[in-house]
Amino acid sequence: MTAGGPTPSLACPTLDRAAHRRTDPDWLGQAWGRCRVLVLDSGDGGRALVSAEPESPVLVLVGPEDVPEEAALRAVFLGVEPDGGAVFTVDAPLPVLPGTRAAHLLEVGHLLTDRDAGLLTTGLALLNWHRGHQYSPRTGQATTMDEAGWSRVAPAGERMWPRTDPAMIVLVHDGGSGWDGRCLLGNNAAWPRVPGELRFSCLAGYVEPGESAEAAVLREVREEVDVPVTDITYVGSQAWPFPGSLMLGFQAVGDPRRPMRVDPAEIAAARWFTRAEVDAALAGQRVDVQGDRLVLPPSSSIASFLLRYWLDGHC
């Protein structure tokens, strides 16, 4: 991505993570007494409180006095704001506050400020990691939270840190300009079907051991639709805490004349869409696909960013 160019919605966190404070229990104890707390309800899909404004929601943080005692014992330190205030996150039911509503990152991430989006993304990623690492993968023993939530420790001293799994996502296009230029999108076989709708997105997959991100682009596109690609170009990255990925966004050029052969275990359907079709669908207009309405990725996702980046002629 060129300097100063557009970036994905969740790609610009602003919080000072103050890693040196994670092992300072005295400072953490004092900071908790006057901190701001992001409450995330994992039982409700990882939702947080935001202000009720539909177009410009603001992430709502609470004081430590509003956090249940049991949840406070498992608070995770996120960092320090420019005014010196510490921010923690906890997994707990959302408090009931006037003028607020519960929202998921997918719903509001693109509408939040960089500060709010960064807090919500980081909090979700850390709490998702803790939920999946209650036990040591080596010994099966229970682990406990340490370093203010940035590691877990087994009884024998084995320490685990939050992991991020690299994944690539690519918008394959034909290199054409204007409204007739086309891009290749797929319908994932694992996605639930909604009557009257058909969801399409960019092709994506995890980077495998011993593989570069660019090699993963070549392999995944070949495996999923059997289309060779060239001119692989890195565009940008975005944290994706579902449960803990880093999405590496690319563009690549493919030939629409090349017959596709989809892997039915991965892709239920794949087809080329024109810029005009993608633009109309993103604008909320109905675009028919096999008699259903085309649904494109949510605005908070890097897939949506790649589509809009391509629409704007960055290819």
Side-chain angles (χ1 to χ4, degrees):
M1 182 182 299
T2 58
T7 57
S9 354
L10 309 181
C12 299
T14 62
L15 187 71
D16 176 3
R17 298 193 174 200
H20 63 291
R21 296 297 191 186
R22 298 171 187 170
T23 55
D24 187 342
D26 292 335
W27 184 90
L28 290 167
Q30 294 175 11
W32 174 258
R34 56 182 186 276
C35 74
R36 302 164 189 133
V37 184
L38 169 62
V39 181
L40 289 169
D41 187 351
S42 65
D44 193 22
R47 295 182 186 274
L49 284 183
V50 298
S51 58
E53 298 89 353
E55 300 301 326
S56 55
V58 175
L59 194 63
V60 175
L61 306 183
V62 301
E65 67 278 2
D66 299 314
V67 176
E69 183 176 352
E70 183 179 353
L73 296 175
R74 301 187 304 273
V76 175
F77 171 61
L78 295 183
V80 176
E81 303 226 62
D83 65 0
V87 183
F88 290 77
T89 187
V90 298
D91 188 346
L94 299 181
V96 178
L97 298 176
T100 67
R101 61 186 174 95
H104 193 280
L105 179 64
L106 290 175
E107 302 170 44
V108 299
H110 61 296
L111 300 174
L112 297 174
T113 64
D114 288 343
R115 175 259 194 185
D116 286 359
L119 286 176
L120 185 48
T121 302
T122 304
L124 274 174
L126 284 168
L127 294 184
N128 283 340
W129 178 75
H130 281 291
R131 284 193 293 273
H133 292 78
Q134 301 291 310
Y135 299 90
S136 165
R138 293 183 181 177
T139 65
Q141 293 179 301
T143 59
T144 57
M145 184 185 293
D146 196 21
E147 295 184 316
W150 287 87
S151 70
R152 297 190 70 89
V153 182
E158 173 197 0
R159 187 177 298 276
M160 299 181 297
W161 288 271
R163 62 176 292 173
T164 297
D165 297 318
M168 65 100 245
I169 183 167
V170 59
L171 180 68
V172 178
H173 62 86
D174 65 355
S177 59
W179 293 112
D180 292 330
R182 288 179 285 178
C183 69
L184 175 59
L185 304 177
N187 172 260
N188 193 299
W191 291 338
R193 288 299 304 270
V194 177
E197 297 182 352
L198 200 54
R199 177 182 168 194
F200 279 81
S201 186
C202 305
L203 303 179
Y206 285 105
V207 179
E208 294 187 344
E211 189 176 50
S212 69
E214 292 81 1
V217 171
L218 286 169
R219 176 184 54 78
E220 285 286 350
V221 176
R222 182 180 67 250
E223 289 178 354
E224 293 187 354
V225 295
D226 196 27
V227 172
V229 295
T230 60
D231 300 319
I232 298 172
T233 305
Y234 175 72
V235 177
S237 65
Q238 181 190 68
W240 197 241
F242 306 110
S245 300
L246 176 66
M247 303 300 297
L248 306 171
F250 292 87
Q251 285 189 346
V253 176
D255 187 350
R257 297 169 298 182
R258 167 89 178 205
M260 284 188 289
R261 181 176 56 84
V262 303
D263 175 3
E266 295 279 346
I267 302 295
R271 58 160 284 186
W272 292 85
F273 293 88
T274 66
R275 266 195 180 86
E277 290 174 317
V278 171
D279 183 66
L282 288 175
Q285 301 173 26
R286 181 182 177 92
V287 175
D288 283 317
V289 181
Q290 302 174 11
D292 294 325
R293 182 175 68 88
L294 171 64
V295 175
L296 293 177
S299 298
S300 296
S301 68
I302 193 171
S304 179
F305 171 80
L306 290 173
L307 283 168
R308 295 178 189 277
Y309 192 77
W310 170 71
L311 277 179
D312 290 342
H314 300 288
C315 61

